[in-house]
């Protein structure tokens, strides 16, 4: 198995967890917050997908799916198209609402772009420096693992919130 295959598998697991977290939930359930400052499933899935979209598009030199395929318009959120959710206030978290179909549709589109990009990578590509603002500079491999880690944490949080919902 190649490094590319491992990365495709990891991003596939994120996709499965996202689908399980949102499947069959109403927009109201997706917007549920365990308390007034907690993140909702809708926000968590939107945010993890925005981060993946932003970081993969940047590394690959591609346009983000969010803007390039019209997802920003379809969601119609009161946020800038460049917003990924990083550092959001409680009010901004509350402003992210979406249907399960929107969330999985956008995530599936980002997943397709991600897998398409990963399929052509080799060890040499993974060693390429993609961000010199850190010390040491960040390689593509480190950036991809960072996205996988962040996405899996948020997907797990969404699954937790779904579990809380089921006990209400």
């Amino acid at each position: 198995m190649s490094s590319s295959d491992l990365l495709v598998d990891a991003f596939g697991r994120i996709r499965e967890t996202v689908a399980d977290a949102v499947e069959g939930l109403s927009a109201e359930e997706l917007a549920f917050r365990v308390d007034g400052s907690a993140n909702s499933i809708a926000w968590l899935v939107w945010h993890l997908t925005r981060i993946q979209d932003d970081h993969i598009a940047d590394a690959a030199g591609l346009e983000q799916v969010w803007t390039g395929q019209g997802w920003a318009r379809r969601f119609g959120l009161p946020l800038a198209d460049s917003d990924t959710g990083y550092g959001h206030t409680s009010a901004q978290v509350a402003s992210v609402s979406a249907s399960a179909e929107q969330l999985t549709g956008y995530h599936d589109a980002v997943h397709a772009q991600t897998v398409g990009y990963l399929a052509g990578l080799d060890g040499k590509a993974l060693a390429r420096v993609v961000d010199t603002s850190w010390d040491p500079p960040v390689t593509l491999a480190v950036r991809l693992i960072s996205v996988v880690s962040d996405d899996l944490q948020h997907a797990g949080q969404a699954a937790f919130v779904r579990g809380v919902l089921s006990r209400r």
Side-chain angles (χ1 to χ4, degrees):
M1 181 176 270
S2 70
S3 358
S4 175
D5 294 335
L6 287 171
L7 288 163
V8 168
D9 182 73
F11 281 101
R13 290 168 191 249
I14 295 164
R15 183 179 182 211
E16 291 168 6
T17 305
V18 162
D20 289 346
V22 305
E23 182 181 12
L25 296 181
S26 68
E28 180 181 271
E29 291 168 317
L30 291 165
F32 169 77
R33 297 168 80 182
V34 174
D35 69 28
S37 61
N39 297 324
S40 66
I41 295 171
W43 185 88
L44 287 161
V45 171
W46 170 81
H47 168 66
L48 75 85
T49 307
R50 286 293 297 125
I51 292 297
Q52 183 177 332
D53 191 8
D54 175 76
H55 287 28
I56 298 298
D58 181 60
L62 300 169
E63 184 173 4
Q64 290 184 26
V65 171
W66 183 245
T67 51
Q69 294 182 20
W71 288 98
R73 180 183 37 74
R74 283 182 249 183
F75 273 68
L77 300 177
L79 304 167
D81 286 353
S82 60
D83 199 331
T84 63
Y86 182 77
H88 266 189
T89 64
S90 182
Q92 289 170 309
V93 169
S95 76
V96 176
S97 64
S99 69
E101 293 77 19
Q102 285 173 306
L103 293 166
T104 56
Y106 174 45
H107 190 82
D108 287 349
V110 169
H111 179 76
Q113 179 159 292
T114 299
V115 169
Y117 172 62
L118 295 175
L121 295 181
D122 58 20
K124 186 175 181 177
L126 293 171
R128 177 175 60 91
V129 172
V130 296
D131 189 346
T132 59
S133 66
W134 295 89
D135 185 20
V138 177
T139 63
L140 178 58
V142 169
R143 176 60 45 86
L144 292 171
I145 293 303
S146 175
V147 172
V148 167
S149 174
D150 187 66
D151 279 5
L152 282 173
Q153 288 179 62
H154 288 313
Q157 291 165 351
F160 172 81
V161 175
R162 184 183 178 112
V164 170
L165 269 172
S166 72
R167 302 218 182 263
R168 288 182 49 202

